[in-house]
Every structure is written in C-alpha cells, then in structure tokens.
C-alpha cells in the first residue's frame, strides 16, 4: 500500500476521531447537567388543576395484529374524568387489524373511543396524526404507539406540568416490557436508558432543545398548531415538530419519574428497521433545522452547541465507520515504522472521549439499581458488548445517515411488533417479518472477516496498536451479521 495513501487514511482517521471527541465533550457536559438535575428531582411537585382540561389520546396504528388489543385494553383503563377524555384510534391498517380493533372496542361501550380509518397512508404516521388533529375534542393531545402500555395515571401525572402557559409538551421516560427477553433487548435497553436519563434530563436541566420521542408524551394542541402542525418531509416527525415548536419559544418538560412501558424489538431485522428510520430521520432534521438554529439570535451559545450535537448525533456512525476502516491503514503505518511516539501520545488524547461516553452509559445503567456491586459486575460485561455491537451497526446506520444528509427519500417503514411476553405468537409465525436480506448484511459479514484478519495479523506481527479496537469490531460485525442473517432467514421460513 503506497505511503501517500496510508497518510491519507491517517488524516481520515484523525478527522473521524476529532468528530467523536467533540461529540463526547457534549455527552460529558450532559452528564454533568444530569447529575445536577438528579439532585433536584422530586423536590417540587406541580399543583393539580382546579378543573381537569379536555384531553385526546391519539393512537396511530398500522397493521398491528399482535399488540392492538393490548393497547386498547391499556388506554381504556386511563384514570381521567370520562367526560373530559377522548381516545382516537388512527388506523391505517391494510390487514385484519381493522377488524380486530372494531371487535375489541365492543368491550368498552362506555369509553369515548373514536375510530378513524384512512383509505391511504399519505404522510404515514405524521399524516394520521395531522388528520386526527383536525377533529380532536381535547386541548391536550397524548400520543402512544401501538407497542406501548400506558400507565393508568399517565394523564393525572402529566397534565399538572402544563400550569405555565408556555409549556408545549411533556415527555415521559420509556421503560421496557421485555428487557430480559434476550441479549439484543438488554443491549437496546442499555442504549435507550442513556438517552432517556442522561441526555433528556441533561438537556432539559440546562434549557437546551429536547425532543418529543414520538410516543409516551403529551402536547398542548395550540403548540402543535402554532409550530405548523405535523410535517411528513422527514422520517422523524417527532424530532422535527419538537425543533419547530422550541424555536418559536415553547418550553418542553421532561419527567423521568413518569414511566411509559413499551416493547423492544427482539430480533435484529426489526432493530435495524427502527434504527434506519431514527438515524436517517435525525439526519434529515439536521439538514432542515441546523442552519436556522445557528442563526437564531436569542439562543445562548451553549444551547446552539447542544442543538448541533443533538441534530447531528446520528452522524457518529459515519465517523465510527471512517475511523474503523482508516485504522487499518494507520496500523500499516505503524508496521512500517512511519508513526512516531509523539503522534501516538497525541492520539491518546482522543481516548478521553471514549471514557466520557462510557461514563454516560454506565451511570444510566446504575440509575435505580438496588445493588451497586451486582450492577457493576453486569456493566463490565454489558458495556464492551454494547460498544462492540454499536460499532458493528455502523455500516447499516451510516448508510441511513448519508441518505438523510444527501436528501434521498424513502418511505416510513414501521417496526414490526411481537408481544412475545403476552404469548400471542411465536417469532416464526409473525406476519410482518422482512424477507429480503439487504446487501449491507453481506458487507457486515465481509467486515467481520477483515477485522478478524487484522486481529490475527496483530499477533503474528506483534503490532498491538489497534488490537482491542479491531477485536471489538470483529466481534461486533460478526454478531450483527449472524443475528441479521438469522432474523431475515426467519422471515423466509
């Protein structure tokens, strides 16, 4: 490999590491803000309103045979004055889900259910929410996806936080119905807990932009309308509306003590479907909002910094992919003796970033755990495994981010739901599994072989410069490839 190419790869490696380092500084600052917010958590509680307002609960549904009944049963148990509560079933289903819903509604003749079925899926979820908003009775709008099981006291707990007229949205913390189902669900919970504790609490504590998470939250109707209603030009309509509303001055409130239980995707093909939508939609929102946020004069520099880190956080996968591939060239530079010890000392600074990111995940993992020592022992196992799988997802997610940044459009693909803990079905009988194995899955298998070869080469040449990194990449890509291929094969069986 020519030396000029190796030095070009070194430059790419340094640029990628710089991006990761800057992102880690933002995460470290959020961690600091989280610790401050945690001290004040629960010290003040809002007063209940003298009169409970009219509320509409919107339930966007599309082909949810396995969870629709569970959702209806849960929202029917919401504790709220019956004359002030409306529940909209926004059903875009094209299968037997529509019949199942109508049959289930017969069990609750005294609950104010409104069934709205669209002939087409124009605008997908955003379009369904927008159409439902045209005929809502409530001045506050709670939203739950089909895989959620709302707390019966959700409305009683959240409505009091709208005592100030400028509060536009209250978001609650997702918890997990099936966290212990498999290794994949445990790793997802590990990642989501960091977002819902460190990131959401940290941003909210310092007055930075936070996001409605698409479900498990409640909006003031006038806020939605003032911000321009739901748009369907990105795959993350929730993040898009959140930024439009907060740019107009609306305040958001995040309450981690109010829990909204939900199902985690149990197989890799479903995880990838969800991850693709989240990462691509995040990149689309970055293109849509970054420039206007930077130009807004009334926003402090700190808020703008965290907004950029928030909007571009999915770009971390492009950086990880670049660093992973370019590290091979850097390894060969070291093998040829073209790397000085001074460069290695300089590069070690970037390791601070990985320490900060690790702390974010570790502290969120310890949150609420009863036994520190048991949790610490579990974390020693879970953290490197999570980081390995996250790096193994870099190729798949980097493709999604690149499409979002470059403006390539794709349809809203729902994440298949399973309700395995409810024993409604088995994995093999799920009708919504994807049948096609994408090219990226095969490339993940190739990457697993490449980084495994680099691990073998490190021992052969006694050059251990990237051994831990390449070993984690080899394991991460191998696990992602295996679980992906297995889940796609499951859909074909």
């Amino acid at each position: 490999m020519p030396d000029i190419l190796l030095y070009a790869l070194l430059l790419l490696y340094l640029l990628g590491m710089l991006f990761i380092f800057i992102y880690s500084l933002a995460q470290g600052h959020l961690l600091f803000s989280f610790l401050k917010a945690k001290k004040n958590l629960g010290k003040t509680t809002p007063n209940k309103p003298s009169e409970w307002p009219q509320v509409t609960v919107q339930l966007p549904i599309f082909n949810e045979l396995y969870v629709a009944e569970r959702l209806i049963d849960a929202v029917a148990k919401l504790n709220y004055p019956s004359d002030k509560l409306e529940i909209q079933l926004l059903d875009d289903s094209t299968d037997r889900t529509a019949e199942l819903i109508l049959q289930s509604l017969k069990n609750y003749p005294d609950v104010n259910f409104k069934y709205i079925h669209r002939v087409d899926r124009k605008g997908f979820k955003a379009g369904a929410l927008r159409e439902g908003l045209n005929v809502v009775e409530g001045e506050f709008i709670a939203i739950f996806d089909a895989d959620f099981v709302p707390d019966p006291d959700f409305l009683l707990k959240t409505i009091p936080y709208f005592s100030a007229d400028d509060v536009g949205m209250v978001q609650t913390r997702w918890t997990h119905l099936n966290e212990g189902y498999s290794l994949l669900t445990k790793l997802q919970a590990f990642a989501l807990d960091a977002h819902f504790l460190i990131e959401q609490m940290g941003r909210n504590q310092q007055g930075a932009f936070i996001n409605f998470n698409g479900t498990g939250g409640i909006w003031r109707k006038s806020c939605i309308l003032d911000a321009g209603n739901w748009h369907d030009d990105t795959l993350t309509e929730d993040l898009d509306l959140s930024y439009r509303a907060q740019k107009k001055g609306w305040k958001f409130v995040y309450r981690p003590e109010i829990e909204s239980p939900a199902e985690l995707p149990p197989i890799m093909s479903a995880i990838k479907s969800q991850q693709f939508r989240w990462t691509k939609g995040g990149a689309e929102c970055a293109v849509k909002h970054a420039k206007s946020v930077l130009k807004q004069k009334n926003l402090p520099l700190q808020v703008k910094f965290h907004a950029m880190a928030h909007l571009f956080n999915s770009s971390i996968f492009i950086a990880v992919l670049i660093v992973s591939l370019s590290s091979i060239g850097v390894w060969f530079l070291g093998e040829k003796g073209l790397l000085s010890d001074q460069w290695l000392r300089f590069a070690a600074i970037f390791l601070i970033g990985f320490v900060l990111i690790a702390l974010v995940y570790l502290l969120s993992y310890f949150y609420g755990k009863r036994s520190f020592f048991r949790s610490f022992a579990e974390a020693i196992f879970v953290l490197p495994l999570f980081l390995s799988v996250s790096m193994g997802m870099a190729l798949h997610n980097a493709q999604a981010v690149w499409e979002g940044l470059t403006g390539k459009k794709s349809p809203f693909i729902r994440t298949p739901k399973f309700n395995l803990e409810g024993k409604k079905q088995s994995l093999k009988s799920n009708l919504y599994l994807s049948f096609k194995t994408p090219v990226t899955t095969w490339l993940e298998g190739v990457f697993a072989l490449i980084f495994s070869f680099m691990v073998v080469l490190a021992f052969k040449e006694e050059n251990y410069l990237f051994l831990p990194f390449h070993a984690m990449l080899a394991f991460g890509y191998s696990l992602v490839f295996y679980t992906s291929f297995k889940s796609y094969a499951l859909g074909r069986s």
Side-chain angles (χ1 to χ4, degrees):
M1 191 178 293
D3 291 353
I4 186 66
L5 177 58
L6 293 178
Y7 281 114
L9 290 174
L10 174 61
L11 178 61
L12 283 175
Y13 177 83
L14 291 174
L15 290 174
M17 289 296 290
L18 179 62
F19 183 91
I20 295 171
F21 181 69
I22 294 172
Y23 171 79
S24 70
L25 293 179
Q27 293 294 96
H29 190 246
L30 289 179
L31 180 60
F32 176 74
S33 298
F34 160 78
L35 295 174
K36 290 173 62 177
K38 189 172 178 288
K39 291 180 181 179
N40 299 321
L41 191 63
K43 289 185 177 180
T44 59
T45 55
N47 296 321
K48 294 181 180 179
S50 56
E51 182 178 352
W52 292 100
Q54 196 79 28
V55 173
T56 296
V57 178
Q58 290 188 319
L59 309 174
I61 294 174
F62 173 67
N63 293 354
E64 301 291 3
L65 280 173
Y66 309 112
V67 294
E69 286 181 285
R70 183 181 66 183
L71 176 65
I72 291 170
D73 291 342
V75 296
K77 296 173 185 175
L78 287 172
N79 295 324
Y80 202 74
S82 58
D83 61 326
K84 298 292 183 68
L85 179 62
E86 172 194 37
I87 302 171
Q88 285 187 341
L89 284 146
L90 307 175
D91 183 24
D92 286 359
S93 297
T94 57
D95 65 0
R96 291 188 298 107
T97 302
E99 300 171 25
L100 182 67
I101 290 173
L102 291 173
Q103 188 63 36
S104 297
L105 294 184
K106 293 179 182 179
N107 297 326
Y108 302 101
D110 298 327
V111 180
N112 186 18
F113 279 108
K114 300 290 179 62
Y115 180 72
I116 300 173
H117 187 269
R118 297 198 304 167
V119 177
D120 61 57
R121 292 188 69 204
K122 183 179 180 182
F124 304 105
K125 180 181 175 181
L129 293 171
R130 188 169 58 235
E131 186 163 323
L133 196 68
N134 292 333
V135 292
V136 295
E137 298 173 359
E139 58 180 297
F140 295 94
I141 316 295
I143 300 171
F144 291 100
D145 283 347
D147 53 333
F148 274 68
V149 182
D151 176 357
D153 292 331
F154 176 88
L155 299 175
L156 299 180
K157 292 176 179 178
T158 54
I159 288 293
Y161 286 98
F162 287 97
S163 56
D165 292 338
D166 62 348
V167 173
M169 192 278 298
V170 176
Q171 176 66 49
T172 65
R173 179 167 63 96
W174 294 6
T175 54
H176 320 295
L177 293 169
N178 59 336
E179 178 177 352
Y181 178 79
S182 68
L183 177 63
L184 291 180
T185 55
K186 288 179 181 178
L187 294 178
Q188 290 174 82
F190 189 76
L192 286 170
D193 287 347
H195 168 70
F196 280 98
L197 289 168
I198 310 298
E199 294 181 348
Q200 289 286 63
M201 285 180 69
R203 291 189 184 110
N204 206 209
Q205 193 276 334
Q206 59 184 267
F209 286 82
I210 70 168
N211 59 294
F212 168 58
N213 291 105
T215 175
I218 180 168
W219 287 82
R220 191 187 296 271
K221 178 185 175 182
S222 57
C223 172
I224 297 176
L225 295 176
D226 182 57
N229 213 324
W230 297 100
H231 291 182
D232 54 45
D233 56 344
T234 74
L235 293 180
T236 46
E237 72 293 322
D238 44 11
L239 179 62
D240 172 41
L241 181 59
S242 297
Y243 267 77
R244 285 188 280 119
Q246 288 170 103
K247 284 192 294 184
K248 297 204 72 172
W250 289 95
K251 306 298 183 185
F252 283 12
V253 174
Y254 178 69
R255 301 311 308 176
E257 77 281 7
I258 306 176
E259 299 179 356
S260 292
E263 175 186 301
L264 294 164
I267 59 175
M268 185 56 78
S269 59
I271 296 170
K272 282 185 169 181
S273 173
Q274 187 179 72
Q275 286 283 310
F276 193 91
R277 189 174 71 251
W278 286 355
T279 52
K280 181 172 181 175
E284 290 174 327
C285 285
V287 173
K288 186 174 181 178
H289 295 291
K291 187 175 180 180
S292 61
V293 169
L294 290 174
K295 285 186 173 181
Q296 196 157 330
K297 295 181 180 179
N298 64 332
L299 294 178
L301 183 61
Q302 177 177 297
V303 170
K304 292 182 179 181
F305 171 70
H306 278 289
M308 293 304 103
H310 188 194
L311 288 169
F312 287 98
N313 65 358
S314 61
S315 299
I316 194 76
F317 290 105
I318 292 180
V320 169
L321 184 63
I322 289 173
V323 167
S324 301
L325 295 176
S326 61
S327 69
I328 297 173
V330 179
W331 185 89
F332 278 103
L333 275 176
E335 183 63 19
K336 289 186 172 186
L338 299 177
L339 283 180
S340 67
D341 292 340
Q342 184 177 2
W343 179 90
L344 293 175
R345 285 193 293 271
F346 170 75
I349 297 173
F350 291 131
L351 295 177
I352 298 172
F354 288 98
V355 172
L356 289 173
I357 292 173
L359 283 174
V360 166
Y361 287 103
L362 285 175
L363 285 181
S364 67
Y365 187 73
F366 293 144
Y367 184 90
K369 297 288 192 300
R370 293 182 180 179
S371 171
F372 173 81
F373 293 104
R374 180 180 176 182
S375 300
F376 183 76
E378 292 173 349
I380 291 175
F381 168 74
V382 173
L383 179 63
L385 189 60
F386 165 74
L387 293 176
S388 297
V389 174
S390 295
M391 290 189 289
M393 289 286 289
L395 175 63
H396 173 270
N397 287 348
Q399 178 192 357
V401 175
W402 184 253
E403 288 185 10
L405 294 175
T406 56
K408 182 180 178 180
K409 294 299 179 182
S410 56
F412 185 103
I413 305 297
R414 62 179 286 282
T415 303
K417 315 300 191 305
F418 297 85
N419 195 9
L420 296 176
E421 70 282 358
K423 299 181 180 179
K424 290 283 184 181
Q425 55 143 161
S426 66
L427 279 174
K428 292 183 178 180
S429 65
N430 192 290
L431 300 176
Y432 303 130
L433 293 180
S434 174
F435 293 89
K436 185 178 180 181
T437 304
V439 174
T440 50
T441 296
W442 298 107
L443 287 176
E444 286 160 355
V446 172
F447 281 13
L449 293 174
I450 290 173
F451 289 111
S452 296
F453 173 75
M454 292 303 300
V455 170
V456 173
L457 198 60
F459 284 106
K460 181 181 178 181
E461 302 297 335
E462 297 184 353
N463 179 354
Y464 308 116
L465 178 60
F466 287 107
L467 179 59
F469 184 46
H470 286 165
M472 291 175 72
L473 285 165
F475 179 78
Y477 275 113
S478 296
L479 185 60
V480 170
F481 169 74
Y482 171 74
T483 53
S484 297
F485 188 78
K486 183 179 178 181
S487 63
Y488 289 121
L490 187 67
R492 294 190 295 269
S493 63

